[in-house]
């Protein structure tokens, strides 16, 4: 944006300034320069079209500076950009392409978690749309701040206002970030104004009245030569020739003091590096800075910033379409007042538009202007009917929403009353449902009695011995059940079993009751220790006879040994 390295080259003429210098005077504001600076703080929200108030911070940024100017008794005149002129289409398309590339890279960085890098790319990708400018216009209108939308370039409109007297609606200075205002010949320009009102100022009269020995010196220059230097160095309307920068352009113009001679010299020295029609393109670009189309608020018409001389018309074959098509008075007035989109030529709605921050670059055409003129006329004739229809639709929508909310509230109240009236019925239904449910007895986490577990294991794993009747088996089962139901009996049984094992290994003078032996023989522990089947009556008799014999022998041996010792 602007002339490359122009402000750096003009640094000797830049002086610090505070905005209070222009107290009580009218100062022009380049609206898009502040809008872009404000959009940097919410660039990610704008590019991603997120919801919430975060993406409207650019409006607060703008109004903070407007209130700062009003605090110092300055009358701000806000000027917005309009449509794109044909000679700037290539530059706009290139900028749009770069913005789309930066947007894609920013989203990729955001997906990778690199938020800081993504925000920097979002700032390069953000774009101010006419819809965003319209939101600001509505605020300015409510605050009774003077504004105007230029038919094309806001810089040209500001330069035109700078040429007028204050009584005619003119301004004494321009606040901007665009160095193109020097090429347009604005008398006083303020750059880089901060939130406190401090900035940098260039006054054109001081530049042309500079000392002869200063570097650079514009002692014998005029606005036309200064514009020629800017075009040679490269601008939005014409790229520079390879090897020609701001210093080289200044040296050529300062040496020859004639733009035609400079063009002839370039054609001779760089004939292989410049296009054939470079001279014509150069004159067209210089004509934009001097004769651009602007809006005249007094006559409500479109006119040139300066009258086009006859010599230039002959050189350009009277073809001024590169300055943009002429706009009818009604359409130009609607654009200047912020009622028409200067790019699409469509009327702004009173409702908010969900518009993306990146839109295609559109160049105005004659048929768009014609449709816009018809649209302005039809809108003015039917404004009352449109308003009444919108009001009726809004009322109908409100009634429907209220009816729906009432129905939902009544349903909720009815449900609550039903619960209060018949709670017993609901509990009864729940109990019936619970009773009807049948759960299988296969829960592995269910706590079971140890006795039942051992008893079931015996019933499933222990088979009845051969020769045992059903009655005997049932008696054994009953005995086992009786044993497991009494935990103290198990301790007694273990003690008796231990004594039985000692008897089998060592002769002990202990008599065992046959009835107790029969009771013990039915236990699973005894079966497991001897690894045999349950005892029958025959086995009981044999074991009884063996134990009795051994006991008698033991007792006899003990008596004989006693008498032997005597």
């Amino acid at each position: 944006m602007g002339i490359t390295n122009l402000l750096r080259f003009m640094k000797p003429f830049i002086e610090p300034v505070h905005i209070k210098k222009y107290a009580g005077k009218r100062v022009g504001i380049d609206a898009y320069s502040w809008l872009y600076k404000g959009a940097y703080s919410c660039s990610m929200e704008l590019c991603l079209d997120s919801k919430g108030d975060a993406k409207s911070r650019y409006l607060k940024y703008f109004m903070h500076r407007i209130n700062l100017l009003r605090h110092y008794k300055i009358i701000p005149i806000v000027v917005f950009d309009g449509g794109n002129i044909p000679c700037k289409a290539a530059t706009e398309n290139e900028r749009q392409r770069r913005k789309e590339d930066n947007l894609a890279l920013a989203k990729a960085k955001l997906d990778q978690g690199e938020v800081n890098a993504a925000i920097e790319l979002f700032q390069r990708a953000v774009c101010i749309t006419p819809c965003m400018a319209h939101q600001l216009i509505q605020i300015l209108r409510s605050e009774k701040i003077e504004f105007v939308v230029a038919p094309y370039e806001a810089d040209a409109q500001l330069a035109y206002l700078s040429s007028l007297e204050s009584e005619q609606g003119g301004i004494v200075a321009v606040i901007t970030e665009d160095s193109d205002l020097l090429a347009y010949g604005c008398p006083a320009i303020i750059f880089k104004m901060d939130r406190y009102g401090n900035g940098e100022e260039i006054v054109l009269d001081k530049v042309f009245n500079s000392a002869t020995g200063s570097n650079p010196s514009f002692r014998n220059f005029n606005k036309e030569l200064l514009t020629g230097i800017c075009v040679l160095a490269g601008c939005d309307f014409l790229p520079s020739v390879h090897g020609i920068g701001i210093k080289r352009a200044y040296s050529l113009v300062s040496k020859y003091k004639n733009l035609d001679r400079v063009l002839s010299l370039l054609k001779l020295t760089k004939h292989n590096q410049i296009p054939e029609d470079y001279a014509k393109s150069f004159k067209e670009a210089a004509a934009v800075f001097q004769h651009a189309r602007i809006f005249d608020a007094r006559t409500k018409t479109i006119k040139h910033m300066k009258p086009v001389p006859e010599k230039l018309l002959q050189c350009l074959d009277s073809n001024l379409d590169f300055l943009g098509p002429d706009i009818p008075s009604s359409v130009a007035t609607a654009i200047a007042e912020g009622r028409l989109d200067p790019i699409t030529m469509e009327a702004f709605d009173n409702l908010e538009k969900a518009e993306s921050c990146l839109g295609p670059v559109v160049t105005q055409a004659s048929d768009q202007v014609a449709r816009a003129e018809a649209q302005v006329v039809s809108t003015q004739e039917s404004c009352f009917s449109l308003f009444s229809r919108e009001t009726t639709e809004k009322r109908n929508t409100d009634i429907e929403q209220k009816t729906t909310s009432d129905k939902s509230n009544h349903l909720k109240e009815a449900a609550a009353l039903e619960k209060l009236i018949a709670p017993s019925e609901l509990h009864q239904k729940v109990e019936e449902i619970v009773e009807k449910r049948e759960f299988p007895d296969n829960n592995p986490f269910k706590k079971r009695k140890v006795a039942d577990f051992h008893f079931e294991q015996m019933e499933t794993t222990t088979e009845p011995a051969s020769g045992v009747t059903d009655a005997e088996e049932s008696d054994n089962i009953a005995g086992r059940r009786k044993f497991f139901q009494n935990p103290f009996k198990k301790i007694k049984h273990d003690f008796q079993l231990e004594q039985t094992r000692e008897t089998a290994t060592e002769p002990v003078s202990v008599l065992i009751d046959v009835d107790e032996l029969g009771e013990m023989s039915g236990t699973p522990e005894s079966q497991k220790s001897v690894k045999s089947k349950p005892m029958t009556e025959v086995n009981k008799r044999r074991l009884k006879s063996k134990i009795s014999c051994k006991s008698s022998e033991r007792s006899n041996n003990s008596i004989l040994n006693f008498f032997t010792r005597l």
Side-chain angles (χ1 to χ4, degrees):
M1 179 180 287
I3 314 301
T4 306
N5 296 325
L6 178 60
L7 292 181
R8 186 181 302 175
F9 184 73
M10 302 293 291
K11 188 175 181 180
F13 307 102
I14 296 176
E15 298 178 355
V17 67
H18 193 275
I19 197 65
K20 64 183 179 181
K21 172 183 176 181
Y22 296 97
K25 298 180 181 180
R26 295 165 58 89
V27 175
I29 311 297
D30 184 5
Y32 271 58
S33 64
W34 280 4
L35 285 174
Y36 270 105
K37 291 181 69 175
Y40 291 156
S41 62
C42 55
S43 58
M44 183 168 65
E45 290 81 3
L46 288 172
C47 290
L48 298 179
D49 195 18
S50 60
K51 305 299 180 182
D53 298 334
K55 67 177 183 179
S56 62
R57 287 199 292 263
Y58 67 96
L59 298 175
K60 297 179 181 179
Y61 177 94
F62 197 101
M63 293 308 300
H64 174 269
R65 278 153 178 74
I66 290 292
N67 293 329
L68 178 67
L69 297 180
R70 293 196 294 183
H71 173 74
Y72 289 105
K73 311 301 180 183
I74 297 171
I75 304 171
I77 312 298
V78 183
V79 181
F80 294 86
D81 280 308
N84 299 317
I85 58 178
C87 61
K88 197 178 178 180
T91 303
E92 293 294 339
N93 290 331
E94 178 63 21
R95 288 176 181 173
Q96 184 67 24
R97 186 191 62 79
R98 289 200 301 266
K99 289 179 182 294
E100 292 175 354
D101 294 341
N102 289 327
L103 180 61
L105 291 174
K107 291 181 178 180
K109 292 290 184 181
L110 189 63
D111 293 338
Q112 296 172 3
E114 300 179 13
V115 180
N116 294 331
I119 291 175
E120 183 178 354
L121 291 170
F122 278 128
Q123 291 176 352
R124 298 177 185 176
V126 71
C127 180
I128 302 300
T129 62
C131 182
M132 297 168 62
H134 181 68
Q135 294 178 1
L136 177 61
I137 287 173
Q138 290 177 325
I139 299 175
L140 296 177
R141 188 181 285 117
S142 64
E143 294 288 334
K144 300 185 183 317
I145 296 174
E146 187 176 346
F147 69 90
V148 61
V149 181
Y152 297 106
E153 292 291 313
D155 297 339
Q157 188 74 29
L158 289 166
Y160 168 72
L161 294 176
S162 298
S163 64
L164 300 178
E165 299 294 334
S166 299
E167 295 79 11
Q168 299 175 347
I171 56 178
V172 297
V174 176
I175 301 176
T176 184
E177 301 296 329
D178 193 349
S179 59
D180 281 347
L181 270 300
L182 283 171
Y184 279 102
C186 288
I189 309 167
I190 301 171
F191 300 98
K192 303 178 181 179
M193 194 192 85
D194 60 13
R195 59 184 303 180
Y196 304 106
N198 299 308
E200 299 177 351
E201 182 186 39
I202 295 180
V203 179
L204 209 57
D205 288 342
K206 294 181 179 180
V207 174
F208 293 142
N209 295 326
S210 59
T212 306
S214 61
N215 187 20
S217 176
F218 295 89
R219 184 70 179 179
N220 297 320
F221 277 67
N222 55 22
K223 293 182 179 181
E224 182 180 358
L225 293 178
L226 180 60
T227 301
I229 293 174
C230 295
V231 174
L232 285 174
C235 61
D236 293 340
F237 313 115
L238 183 67
S240 64
V241 179
H242 180 71
I244 303 295
I246 185 66
K247 292 183 179 180
R248 179 61 175 163
Y250 166 78
S251 62
L252 290 173
V253 175
S254 177
K255 180 178 181 179
Y256 295 101
K257 299 291 191 303
N258 188 294
L259 295 178
D260 291 334
R261 293 183 62 183
V262 173
L263 292 175
S264 300
L265 179 64
L266 291 177
K267 188 176 181 180
L268 292 174
T269 58
K270 294 182 177 293
H271 60 279
N272 294 328
Q273 299 178 2
I274 62 175
E276 292 291 335
D277 58 346
Y278 179 79
K280 183 180 179 181
S281 299
F282 178 90
K283 292 180 179 180
E284 290 179 353
V288 173
F289 288 111
Q290 297 173 0
H291 310 288
R293 297 186 188 273
I294 50 87
F295 177 75
D296 187 1
R298 293 175 295 175
T299 61
K300 305 291 183 182
T301 57
I302 295 294
K303 68 176 188 179
H304 294 285
M305 187 171 59
K306 294 179 182 178
V308 182
E310 188 67 24
K311 182 179 179 180
L312 182 60
L313 285 174
Q314 294 177 358
C315 181
L316 299 175
D317 298 330
S318 300
N319 184 9
L320 300 178
D321 292 340
F322 62 92
L323 298 176
D326 195 5
I327 302 176
S329 177
S330 59
V331 178
T333 304
I335 292 174
E337 294 176 355
R339 294 187 285 110
L340 277 184
D341 189 322
I343 295 179
T344 62
M345 293 294 178
E346 296 179 358
F348 286 110
D349 296 332
N350 292 326
L351 301 176
E352 293 184 1
K353 290 184 178 180
E355 182 177 333
S356 175
C357 66
L358 291 177
V361 178
V362 181
T363 304
Q364 291 180 6
S366 58
D367 57 345
Q368 287 181 334
V369 176
R371 287 197 303 270
E373 185 177 9
Q375 186 177 7
V376 170
V377 175
S378 62
T379 304
Q380 292 175 351
E381 292 177 353
S382 60
C383 61
F384 179 78
S385 60
L386 288 172
F387 176 78
S388 61
R389 183 179 65 184
E390 290 177 359
T391 306
T392 305
E393 292 177 353
K394 185 177 181 180
R395 289 178 180 175
N396 293 334
T397 305
D398 294 339
I399 292 171
E400 291 177 359
Q401 292 178 353
K402 185 177 180 180
T403 304
T404 305
S405 61
D406 292 340
K407 287 182 180 180
S408 62
N409 292 331
H410 292 323
L411 290 174
K412 292 179 180 179
E413 292 176 0
L417 289 173
E418 186 178 357
K419 291 180 180 179
L420 292 174
I421 292 170
S424 60
E425 296 179 0
L426 294 175
H427 291 303
Q428 186 176 359
K429 290 180 180 180
V430 172
E431 290 176 359
E432 291 176 359
I433 293 171
V434 173
E435 289 176 359
K436 290 180 180 179
R437 292 180 180 175
E438 294 181 2
F439 297 93
D441 194 9
N442 58 355
N443 188 359
F445 301 100
K446 182 179 179 181
K447 293 184 178 180
R448 306 175 69 183
K449 295 181 179 179
V450 178
D452 295 338
F453 175 77
H454 286 294
F455 177 67
E456 291 177 1
Q457 186 178 9
M458 288 174 60
E459 289 181 346
T460 56
T461 59
T462 306
E463 298 179 357
S466 60
V468 180
T469 62
D470 296 336
E472 292 176 350
E473 181 65 22
S474 61
D475 293 338
N476 293 333
I477 293 173
R480 288 192 293 269
R481 286 182 176 175
K482 182 179 179 181
F483 167 74
F484 283 107
Q485 291 176 358
N486 190 356
F488 297 99
K489 193 170 184 180
K490 183 176 184 296
I491 299 172
K492 179 181 179 182
H493 166 262
D494 294 339
F495 176 76
Q496 293 174 351
L497 181 61
E498 188 66 26
Q499 289 179 347
T500 305
R501 290 178 179 174
E502 292 177 358
T503 304
T505 56
E506 296 179 3
V508 181
S509 59
V510 178
L511 294 177
I512 302 175
D513 191 2
V514 176
D515 296 332
E516 292 180 357
L517 183 60
E519 187 179 357
M520 288 187 295
S521 62
T523 61
E525 286 82 354
S526 62
Q527 294 178 17
K528 184 175 180 181
S529 61
V530 299
K531 297 181 181 180
S532 63
K533 297 181 179 179
M535 292 185 177
T536 60
E537 292 295 334
V538 177
N539 294 331
K540 290 179 182 179
R541 295 192 194 99
R542 292 177 181 175
L543 181 60
K544 179 179 179 183
S545 61
K546 289 180 180 181
I547 294 174
S548 299
C549 294
K550 289 182 179 181
S551 299
S552 61
E553 291 177 359
R554 178 68 175 172
S555 61
N556 293 331
N557 293 332
S558 300
I559 292 171
L560 292 174
N561 292 334
F562 175 76
F563 285 105
T564 302
R565 287 195 297 271
L566 291 175

